[in-house]
Amino acid sequence: MKDLLVYDGSFGGLLTVIFEVYERKLADVSIVREDLYQPHLYAAVQTITRDAQKAARVWQGLQKKLNTESSEHFYKSFLSEERDVEDTLLAFTRYVLSAPSGAERNFAHPAVLTVMQLSKKVHREKHRMEAFVRFQQTTDGLYVATVEPDFNVLPLIAGHFKDRYADQSWLIYDDKRSYGILYDEKAGRVMEVTEESGEPTVSTDDQGVASITVHDHEAAYQTLWRTYFQTISIAVRKNKKLHLRHVPTRYWRYLTEKQ
């Protein structure tokens, strides 16, 4: 009977599951996040609790076999949240740990190829989020931006915004996943916040979209920004097809200049 391992959806949780697969010598196994789990009649279901020590041992073992770039591909593909990505990463792990050095570059192996493809997709989304995030100042002085990326890229963009906006406190909130990353200027660190953490600057409307109370002068700033874009626009040089390729319409919702 197939073993179905359920975990909490975190990266550490997945690494813990992989540890258990090796520890228990499980062969026919599938991994699923607990929020996607559905009862299965023909599988032995086990819930695996995240264990930091077990996760660290697996990650250290992978890093001994992988270079920095390949380790990043592994992590980015996990953040894709694609269906069955956990099984792909397990297959990838089994292959690279059992094969000679350099196996992670063998794109003829389906798991290696899939990891690379997913990593590239997530990397592109990361760069788009870094370009398209627009902050609004709230009444308490915090700068807030709401996003809804295709992939879970907030962990990847935290460093970029910490370096760029180190002189102010800010929050980037993911509507789709109901959590955000908060930079505390005084503490000089980024922390994760969720709806359960009680962060006062973000609320949710009837459609499940994060909303904020902006500072009085924020509307004026937004008007100036839109006016600037209208002024510099050259009608005869507009290329809508090219523009949509670089700025897909799904991002317009969060761009001040597109409102």
Side-chain angles (χ1 to χ4, degrees):
M1 179 177 288
K2 187 171 188 174
D3 289 290
L4 183 62
L5 305 183
V6 182
Y7 79 111
D8 62 2
S10 69
F11 187 60
L14 173 63
L15 295 177
T16 303
V17 172
I18 294 175
F19 179 94
E20 294 294 340
V21 169
Y22 277 87
E23 180 77 4
R24 305 180 191 185
K25 297 180 172 58
L26 303 177
D28 188 9
V29 60
S30 186
I31 307 170
V32 63
R33 298 201 315 263
E34 59 186 3
D35 59 323
L36 299 178
Y37 167 69
Q38 294 181 347
H40 202 292
L41 294 176
Y42 304 103
V45 180
Q46 302 177 60
T47 299
I48 306 299
T49 302
R50 177 175 50 182
D51 184 300
Q53 292 185 337
K54 293 178 180 179
R57 287 181 60 181
V58 173
W59 191 234
Q60 290 167 4
L62 280 168
Q63 290 183 310
K64 289 179 181 178
K65 296 284 289 189
L66 304 175
N67 57 30
T68 301
E69 184 180 16
S70 297
S71 297
E72 290 176 355
H73 290 321
F74 186 97
Y75 181 53
K76 288 176 182 176
S77 61
F78 167 76
L79 295 177
S80 72
E81 302 175 328
E82 288 289 298
R83 187 177 185 84
D84 299 327
V85 67
E86 293 88 357
D87 291 346
T88 297
L89 291 173
L90 174 60
F92 178 89
T93 302
R94 280 174 156 165
Y95 174 62
V96 298
L97 292 185
S98 63
S101 179
E104 71 277 9
R105 297 189 295 274
N106 178 20
F107 299 115
H109 191 282
V112 174
L113 179 60
T114 301
V115 165
M116 177 60 72
Q117 291 172 333
L118 291 176
S119 175
K120 286 183 176 179
K121 289 181 180 179
V122 172
H123 189 71
R124 284 196 294 269
E125 188 76 342
K126 167 188 176 291
H127 279 296
R128 283 174 169 169
M129 284 298 103
E130 289 173 348
F132 298 149
V133 164
R134 297 292 184 269
F135 288 101
Q136 300 180 70
Q137 188 178 23
T138 63
T139 51
D140 60 0
L142 181 68
Y143 288 85
V144 177
T146 55
V147 295
E148 195 172 340
D150 285 349
F151 310 118
N152 182 22
V153 296
L154 291 196
L156 300 178
I157 66 176
H160 169 84
F161 286 99
K162 179 184 176 183
D163 293 341
R164 190 170 184 180
Y165 301 108
D167 61 342
Q168 60 195 41
S169 295
W170 49 260
L171 168 70
I172 302 176
Y173 188 80
D174 187 335
D175 278 343
K176 185 175 182 180
R177 295 164 184 85
S178 299
Y179 89 102
I181 49 175
L182 172 69
Y183 174 70
D184 185 339
E185 177 192 357
K186 295 180 180 178
R189 65 188 182 97
V190 178
M191 64 193 80
E192 182 178 309
V193 295
T194 63
E195 290 181 345
E196 289 74 20
S197 68
E199 174 57 43
T201 56
V202 178
S203 59
T204 305
D205 63 19
D206 294 336
Q207 286 73 45
V209 177
S211 59
I212 60 176
T213 304
V214 299
H215 196 283
D216 291 340
H217 61 222
E218 183 64 34
Y221 287 155
Q222 292 184 15
T223 300
L224 287 172
W225 186 246
R226 285 191 293 266
T227 302
Y228 166 74
F229 269 85
Q230 293 170 1
T231 302
I232 66 172
S233 177
I234 303 174
V236 295
R237 298 187 64 181
K238 285 185 177 180
N239 185 331
K240 187 175 181 180
K241 184 177 181 180
L242 180 64
H243 180 69
L244 289 175
R245 190 169 70 189
H246 290 287
V247 190
T249 54
R250 62 190 175 89
Y251 297 107
W252 290 14
R253 175 183 178 188
Y254 303 107
L255 301 179
T256 303
E257 61 269 27
K258 291 295 185 182
Q259 304 309 310

